[in-house]
Amino acid sequence: MDFKTIFKSFKNKDMLKRVLIICGLLVVYRFMAHIPVPLGEPATFQEAISNLISSTDFGSFLNLISGGGLTTFSILLVGISPYITASIVVQLITKAIPRLEELSNDGETGRRKISQWTRVLAVPLAIVQSIAYIYMLYQSVMSTSGLSYTPTTADWVLSVAAMVAGSMILMWFGELMTEQGIGNGISMIIFTSIISQLPTTMASLGSALFDTTTSAGSLSLFGWLNLPVNPVIFWVIIGFNLALLAVIYFLVKLNEAQRIITINYAKRVHGNSSYGGIKSILPLKLIAAGVVPVIFATAFLSLPALLGQVIQTINPGNSFGVTLSTLFTAPNANTFSSLYPNGITGQWFFYPALYFILVVLFTYFYTSIIFNTKEIADNLQKQGGFIEGIRPGNQTAAYLGRTITRLNLFGALALGFIAMLPFATDYIFIILTGAPLGLSISGTGLLIIVTVALENLRQINSRALMVTYDEYR
């Protein structure tokens, strides 16, 4: 990564304009995350939402990708989850129906039609989710605070319209940022959402670090200097920072790993001139799907938990709703004792195992969408390119298919095991100390941060090289 070239590219007006547009949209997004939904007393709802987040994983994930919009009861409460869900549904249908698959391969026109269908499908999903969330939150407020406020039909329409509008505006912001050509807009919104939670986390750690009122006392350095910090928290933070650096290093290496395939171009003679006879490369990334499988798997697993919460809200004590909520809620520090009162059982491993399987499956599925071996083989054949020892056409497509499948096997398993690290950490601490650390969402967030940051830096570097090319001629 050439950071000197990147900073030099900011002298280019077009490059600077693109960066400023993205930064401006992200700033507006963060302001919108603090605009409350026009329903009742926002402070009362915020208190109930905090309880909801601490008790369910789908609430934690929704709060994560909405950048804290859930805790502030903002119009971005639904966030971009309807768009993510719509994308999963449309891509599954596209793969299942051959006519739609042909349309997706029909160049830019086909892709635009499918993108439009995704946007249209996101609207009813946003409406349904908005109604469900407001109803659950209202019932939670009624049960915890005894609120006598009863929303009217106009209140419902206004609140749902505000939340749907917030979700659609967020989706529009993502597409506007993608059009700037220096990163995926939806990924950048999720990245910003996660980063925006760090100050709160750091403040909590700082408060615990400088709390010397406990029996742990203060930290003694070689017996001659006492630091006003909690020694237990201090060493825990040091240990986790070292582990964090190790995991980030591994994630960077894993994200950057690729298989290089050499492409030869036959030499051609046309009149008195000749061209071709050169070599090029075709890099195949170990994890071509990036962080999308993790986002899809987490969003997919959140839906049954949401359904279970809705069923329990409508019919308290319903066994089906309790089962859904129990099976599809990730264990964390707040929910572990209530989810698993009987100690180590097979239910401990249901959610992590299903999460692992979905990450692997979505890795294969999404890679098959973005890496079309038949299309790549046909383009190479048209350009006179071939892989040494492999005949052009179908044999090249089959070779590329075998290669990407083998890469996917290791990449998907590695991605799944990385997603499992927080669960493994929780279970180890449960066995050793009797209490989990609750890092499940943090592990997912770390994976998203590293992958999105590397991908955005790569695209910024590519555009920077393009706009500064004349300086190297």
Side-chain angles (χ1 to χ4, degrees):
M1 203 68 61
D2 190 352
F3 288 99
K4 184 178 179 181
T5 302
I6 292 176
F7 287 119
K8 188 183 295 183
S9 68
F10 292 151
K11 297 179 181 179
N12 182 278
K13 291 183 179 180
D14 181 68
M15 181 70 172
L16 185 60
K17 176 184 175 183
R18 293 172 184 270
V19 173
L20 290 177
I21 287 175
I22 291 177
C23 292
L25 290 173
L26 291 176
V27 169
V28 173
Y29 155 59
R30 291 308 306 150
F31 274 112
M32 290 180 62
H34 296 277
I35 301 176
V37 174
L39 179 67
E41 178 60 38
T44 307
F45 278 95
Q46 289 172 15
E47 181 180 354
I49 292 168
S50 298
N51 298 329
L52 181 66
I53 293 174
S54 63
S55 62
T56 59
D57 180 60
F58 90 91
S60 300
F61 175 71
L62 178 62
N63 189 57
L64 179 73
I65 64 175
S66 65
L70 186 56
T71 54
T72 57
F73 192 50
S74 81
I75 59 174
L76 300 184
L77 190 152
V78 176
I80 57 172
S81 57
Y83 183 72
I84 294 175
T85 305
S87 299
I88 297 173
V89 172
V90 170
Q91 289 174 5
L92 286 172
I93 294 176
T94 300
K95 278 294 180 181
I97 303 177
R99 188 170 181 179
L100 291 180
E101 188 172 9
E102 292 177 5
L103 181 64
S104 67
N105 297 327
D106 189 22
E108 185 65 24
T109 303
R111 285 191 288 271
R112 284 183 177 178
K113 287 183 179 180
I114 292 179
S115 296
Q116 184 63 26
W117 293 343
T118 304
R119 298 187 198 103
V120 172
L121 180 60
V123 176
L125 288 175
I127 294 174
V128 172
Q129 290 188 26
S130 299
I131 295 174
Y133 292 150
I134 290 179
Y135 182 76
M136 284 192 302
L137 294 175
Y138 174 69
Q139 292 296 325
S140 177
V141 170
M142 288 286 290
S143 61
T144 58
S145 63
L147 184 68
S148 59
Y149 169 75
T150 302
T152 63
T153 303
D155 292 333
W156 276 95
V157 172
L158 181 60
S159 302
V160 171
M163 292 170 63
V164 172
S167 180
M168 296 302 103
I169 290 174
L170 207 56
M171 180 182 69
W172 178 50
F173 279 5
E175 294 186 350
L176 286 179
M177 286 186 278
T178 302
E179 290 176 1
Q180 305 309 312
I182 54 178
N184 181 276
I186 300 298
S187 297
M188 281 191 279
I189 288 175
I190 298 176
F191 176 88
T192 306
S193 301
I194 299 171
I195 293 296
S196 68
Q197 306 299 303
L198 291 181
T200 303
T201 304
M202 293 177 66
S204 300
L205 287 175
S207 177
L209 179 62
F210 292 101
D211 182 13
T212 57
T213 59
T214 61
S215 58
S218 58
L219 178 65
S220 176
L221 291 181
F222 309 110
W224 56 272
L225 178 63
N226 288 331
L227 294 179
V229 296
N230 188 310
V232 176
I233 301 298
F234 176 81
W235 292 116
V236 167
I237 291 176
I238 293 295
F240 272 106
N241 282 335
L242 293 176
L244 182 65
L245 290 175
V247 172
I248 290 177
Y249 176 81
F250 178 70
L251 287 176
V252 171
K253 288 294 184 182
L254 190 66
N255 190 72
E256 296 298 298
Q258 58 186 10
R259 166 79 180 275
I260 301 297
I261 296 179
T262 303
I263 306 295
N264 299 280
Y265 290 91
K267 186 174 182 179
R268 299 181 180 181
V269 178
H270 185 73
N272 294 327
S273 60
S274 63
Y275 57 95
I278 59 175
K279 290 185 177 182
S280 182
I281 62 170
L282 177 63
L284 302 181
K285 289 181 66 64
L286 180 63
I287 306 179
V291 77
V292 173
V294 177
I295 298 175
F296 277 11
T298 309
F300 192 84
L301 285 176
S302 298
L303 293 178
L306 171 61
L307 179 60
Q309 288 290 324
V310 173
I311 293 174
Q312 290 184 77
T313 302
I314 298 174
N315 185 12
N318 183 279
S319 58
F320 180 66
V322 172
T323 301
L324 282 180
S325 299
T326 303
L327 291 179
F328 291 94
T329 298
N332 57 49
N334 296 306
T335 63
F336 198 88
S337 59
S338 61
L339 288 175
Y340 313 122
N342 300 321
I344 300 177
T345 62
Q347 189 180 328
W348 269 41
F349 309 100
F350 177 81
Y351 186 96
L354 188 58
Y355 187 32
F356 178 85
I357 292 171
L358 284 177
V359 169
V360 172
L361 292 179
F362 275 124
T363 301
Y364 274 94
F365 169 70
Y366 196 73
T367 302
S368 67
I369 293 176
I370 64 176
F371 191 87
N372 190 321
T373 55
K374 178 65 176 175
E375 183 180 350
I376 293 175
D378 290 342
N379 290 337
L380 288 175
Q381 188 173 17
K382 292 175 183 177
Q383 297 168 6
F386 63 93
I387 302 172
E388 188 173 353
I390 308 295
R391 293 179 63 86
N394 292 333
Q395 287 192 18
T396 298
Y399 173 78
L400 292 175
R402 289 194 303 270
T403 303
I404 199 67
T405 299
R406 292 169 182 170
L407 289 174
N408 263 343
L409 177 61
F410 181 81
L413 291 176
L415 199 60
F417 280 120
I418 290 171
M420 291 298 101
L421 281 178
F423 295 104
T425 304
D426 278 350
Y427 291 168
I428 290 172
F429 269 79
I430 289 166
I431 295 173
L432 294 178
T433 66
L437 286 175
L439 294 177
S440 299
I441 294 299
S442 297
T444 304
L446 179 62
L447 190 60
I448 294 173
I449 287 173
V450 172
T451 307
V452 173
L454 289 174
E455 183 60 30
N456 285 352
L457 279 175
R458 189 180 296 109
Q459 293 197 34
I460 291 174
N461 189 61
S462 298
R463 183 162 287 277
L465 288 173
M466 184 174 63
V467 300
T468 59
Y469 175 75
D470 290 340
E471 300 180 17
Y472 298 97
R473 295 180 62 180

